Amino acid sequence: MRVLVVASTPEWTPGARLLAQLAAGLAAGGDVVAMVTALGSATERAVEQGWPRLSLRSVSGAGGLRRAWSLRGIVNALRPDALLVGSEGDAVLAAFAIGTRGGIVRRVTADEYVPRTGTAAVRSPAAGGAAKSATLRWRTRLARARTPITPWGDTHLALGWPSPPVADTAAHATAIHRLPVTAPAVVLVPGASHDEATAAALRALAHLRTRRPDLRVLLVGAPAALQGTRVHAASLDLAAAVEVVPVEALLQHELGHARAAWITAPGDLGALATLAAMQQRLPTVVAVDAPFAELVTPGATGLHVSADNTVVVVAELARLLADVNAQRAVGHAAAARAAREFGWEAFVDDAALLLARAAGDSGARRTRRPSLTPA
């Protein structure tokens, strides 16, 4: 099957990274895959560097109409059976590019997912305001009238996020038991801007450090984006304990000295960071009202935090940091659930099946497994 994966957003986001990994996985499974990014974007550079064997095309143009015509030229040249996109805007571009000649699978992000428990609401639209959101909606309706668009990830049984694939060496390193003599470290994954959820997590970790003066905080993200969070940490006397690490270090299992994780980031970053932490056998704390909160089973694989139970969460984290056997038991349960319910190979299989159905092959099956190497 010929597949075109479209990620035209210029920023190298966790969602774009996931699409690149998925494109490589589909190609390794036998499909003919090309990926489309914006010309000269950070996404284009990251894909060229991380997946050099992946066929790459670029769309250009300042407006949506020009990008649509650019993508249409790529579609006419490659003649894909189906397209895979990761945003509403890209679904609109893809629909006008492919017309009635194929189908589109549109991955639903964690911001858009409505949990089956009904405890979390859909996040508000990204920056751009209600007018822009409404514009996208009517364009989407027009696009759906032109081309079948299959949503992927809008139900619990077909979530649009997986446990991130990692190299075998990283997986082996994660399996090594952490020595209790090392200083405990908690991974904190905040959002793009400093918010109350991150502030509450910092206050809780500062309180935890009064019990464990050797506690370290691994702050995940780009230093420039974390300035507000670092200033707040300094005001809580955490400056000496904070170390900034890149997102890739978490997703590629390079934080072997961590003992727990606290995720306050929303969207795909929050969901993928949660699963990456679970893969690495880390008891994981997430907000009870996060769209991806159901990834964590309270008491078994991690903790749910809310405004009225922060003290209880701090006490439980202190217990886990003090009791290596308890920490390992929760960590192993987290890793087992991530592998059982959110495995990467099953995720690629689901994508291949949905793409085949979108292309008109209702009896398609996936029998080959993808390589987990990045390139």
Side-chain angles (χ1 to χ4, degrees):
M1 185 171 61
R2 296 185 299 275
V3 177
L4 201 60
V5 179
V6 182
S8 70
T9 54
E11 298 84 9
W12 181 234
T13 63
R17 184 184 190 276
L18 181 60
L19 286 178
Q21 290 176 312
L22 186 52
L26 291 168
D31 293 321
V32 178
V33 182
M35 186 164 183
V36 177
T37 62
L39 182 64
S41 65
T43 299
E44 182 183 56
R45 293 190 295 271
V47 173
E48 287 177 338
Q49 181 178 0
W51 294 267
R53 294 197 295 269
L54 186 62
S55 179
L56 185 62
R57 300 291 188 274
S58 301
V59 292
S60 58
L65 184 59
R66 290 189 176 183
R67 291 198 302 272
W69 278 108
S70 180
L71 181 59
R72 186 180 181 89
I74 296 172
V75 168
N76 288 338
L78 300 181
R79 304 189 67 81
D81 301 302
L83 280 76
L84 174 64
V85 301
S87 70
E88 190 175 18
D90 281 346
V92 173
L93 292 179
F96 284 103
I98 197 170
T100 59
R101 293 177 296 175
I104 298 170
V105 174
R106 200 281 227 200
R107 179 183 165 267
V108 175
T109 67
D111 280 333
E112 302 166 299
Y113 170 64
V114 180
R116 58 179 174 177
T117 59
T119 57
V122 178
R123 300 284 181 175
S124 59
K132 179 178 179 182
S133 178
T135 301
L136 287 175
R137 283 197 292 271
W138 76 257
R139 287 179 178 172
T140 299
R141 289 197 297 270
L142 183 60
R144 288 181 183 275
R146 177 183 177 88
T147 310
I149 300 177
T150 303
W152 176 30
D154 57 343
T155 66
H156 178 74
L157 296 179
L159 289 178
W161 58 81
S163 299
V166 293
D168 292 339
T169 53
H172 175 71
T174 302
I176 300 175
H177 290 308
R178 298 174 180 84
L179 296 177
V181 296
T182 59
V186 175
V187 177
L188 176 59
V189 185
S193 60
H194 189 63
D195 56 14
E196 178 53 33
T198 303
L202 284 175
R203 291 192 294 269
L205 292 175
H207 181 61
L208 181 60
R209 198 163 183 254
T210 61
R211 302 188 182 191
R212 294 296 301 258
D214 57 343
L215 179 71
R216 297 171 57 213
V217 178
L218 303 179
L219 195 57
V220 176
L226 296 174
Q227 186 60 27
T229 302
R230 296 169 71 185
V231 169
H232 191 185
S235 72
L236 295 170
D237 198 25
L238 283 174
V242 170
E243 176 186 352
V244 177
V245 296
V247 174
E248 293 293 323
L250 173 63
L251 298 181
Q252 291 299 315
H253 293 196
E254 297 172 0
L255 303 178
H257 51 305
R259 302 273 291 278
W262 194 313
I263 314 296
T264 63
D268 283 338
L269 175 58
L272 294 173
T274 297
L275 286 167
M278 291 170 63
Q279 277 183 302
Q280 296 170 75
R281 297 174 172 83
L282 300 179
T284 305
V285 181
V286 299
V288 68
D289 61 347
F292 48 85
E294 63 187 73
L295 296 177
V296 174
T297 304
T301 67
L303 302 165
H304 284 172
V305 64
S306 61
D308 56 358
N309 78 337
T310 305
V311 174
V312 175
V313 170
V314 170
E316 183 62 15
L317 277 179
R319 183 185 73 83
L320 292 174
L321 293 178
D323 187 341
V324 176
N325 290 328
Q327 187 269 328
R328 285 177 180 169
V330 175
H332 279 292
R337 181 161 195 243
R340 182 179 64 252
E341 298 189 29
F342 306 98
W344 175 254
E345 292 181 348
F347 180 72
V348 178
D349 286 353
D350 288 345
L353 181 60
L354 288 172
L355 286 164
R357 289 176 176 172
D361 182 6
S362 60
R365 289 185 178 180
R366 182 82 172 181
T367 57
R368 286 167 290 184
R369 294 295 188 183
S371 167
L372 298 187
T373 57

